[in-house]
Amino acid sequence: MTFDNWKIDRLNDIQPEEFFNLIQKNKRHIEKTFPVTVENCSTFQKTIDFLGNNIEKEATNEGFYFYLRNTATNILIGYVCIKNINKSIFKCELAYFIDSEFEGKGIISKAVSQTLDFCFAELDMNKVFICTSLVNKGSQRIATKHGFQQEGILREEFKNCNGILEDIIYFGLLKSDHKNG
């Protein structure tokens, strides 16, 4: 799917070195909110293993991964994943980041919109949730812009890159509320 000067690729459309480069370039930018991904991609070999694990998760419908690419340069600029899928109550988590150079351009917002459509239409989820740190105002704006409701603050729910437990804001969106059902 292509928009303006970027597109969404799937897992089989990317090379490990380009995802490794995206993570390394944005390490400081994302390490507080994506510490597991940063750690799992700290070396090229770990990145290969991480992507291989994601391929296995997609094959068993345990996770889905989307990669944002700048069509002018053909360089990866972002990542959106569907994780923590609970098939018994039809719920999943959405997580995302974009290269710091592309923040504020509406790219993540459009990618989240497309991913939500996938969650509700293709995966038949009843609820999608987003967990964000208290200071990540950009992610909070994305959530509310797409109709997510703040459902609460989960205390000491997330371990940051320094190993410290932090509170997070939990946002939820029901299928019945997404674009009016």
Side-chain angles (χ1 to χ4, degrees):
M1 191 162 293
T2 303
F3 304 89
D4 303 323
N5 61 345
W6 64 277
K7 69 177 182 170
I8 298 174
D9 281 345
R10 294 301 308 269
L11 188 53
N12 57 351
D13 296 323
I14 68 155
Q15 297 299 315
E17 51 273 354
E18 58 185 344
F19 191 68
F20 175 75
N21 292 337
L22 174 67
I23 299 299
Q24 296 311 305
K25 179 180 183 230
N26 288 278
K27 183 177 177 180
R28 287 225 183 279
H29 175 57
I30 64 170
E31 68 185 349
K32 290 183 180 172
T33 53
F34 276 81
V36 173
T37 303
V38 169
E39 174 58 32
N40 286 333
C41 296
S42 61
T43 68
F44 183 63
Q45 184 57 53
K46 281 185 164 186
T47 303
I48 292 170
D49 296 343
F50 176 77
L51 294 173
N53 189 37
N54 289 351
I55 289 169
E56 290 174 14
K57 286 179 181 177
E58 276 208 4
T60 59
N61 295 325
E62 294 176 52
F64 296 89
Y65 307 90
F66 304 91
Y67 301 85
L68 311 178
R69 184 182 301 280
N70 181 321
T71 55
T73 63
N74 204 36
I75 294 175
L76 285 184
I77 60 170
Y79 175 65
V80 179
C81 69
I82 300 166
K83 60 184 186 172
N84 296 321
I85 297 172
N86 184 326
K87 296 173 188 169
S88 67
I89 59 173
F90 308 101
K91 173 175 101 167
C92 65
E93 181 177 3
L94 189 62
Y96 44 83
F97 73 81
I98 192 156
D99 185 309
S100 58
E101 290 181 37
F102 294 89
E103 281 187 316
K105 299 182 186 299
I107 297 169
I108 279 292
S109 184
K110 288 179 183 174
V112 165
S113 181
Q114 293 298 312
T115 307
L116 287 171
D117 290 344
F118 179 82
C119 289
F120 292 122
E122 302 296 321
L123 300 180
D124 200 27
M125 291 288 118
N126 182 57
K127 183 176 191 174
V128 176
F129 68 96
I130 295 172
C131 294
T132 181
S133 71
L134 299 175
V135 297
N136 191 343
K137 302 298 184 193
S139 189
Q140 294 167 34
R141 279 191 299 275
I142 292 287
T144 57
K145 177 179 180 178
H146 287 87
F148 284 78
Q149 300 295 310
Q150 181 178 330
E151 297 184 2
I153 295 179
L154 304 178
R155 299 179 316 144
E156 296 185 4
E157 181 76 12
F158 178 76
K159 189 182 283 188
N160 70 20
C161 61
N162 298 318
I164 298 169
L165 292 173
E166 291 183 1
D167 296 350
I168 57 170
I169 302 174
Y170 184 101
F171 291 92
L173 178 66
L174 299 176
K175 184 176 190 173
S176 60
D177 294 332
H178 177 64
K179 298 183 181 178
N180 299 321

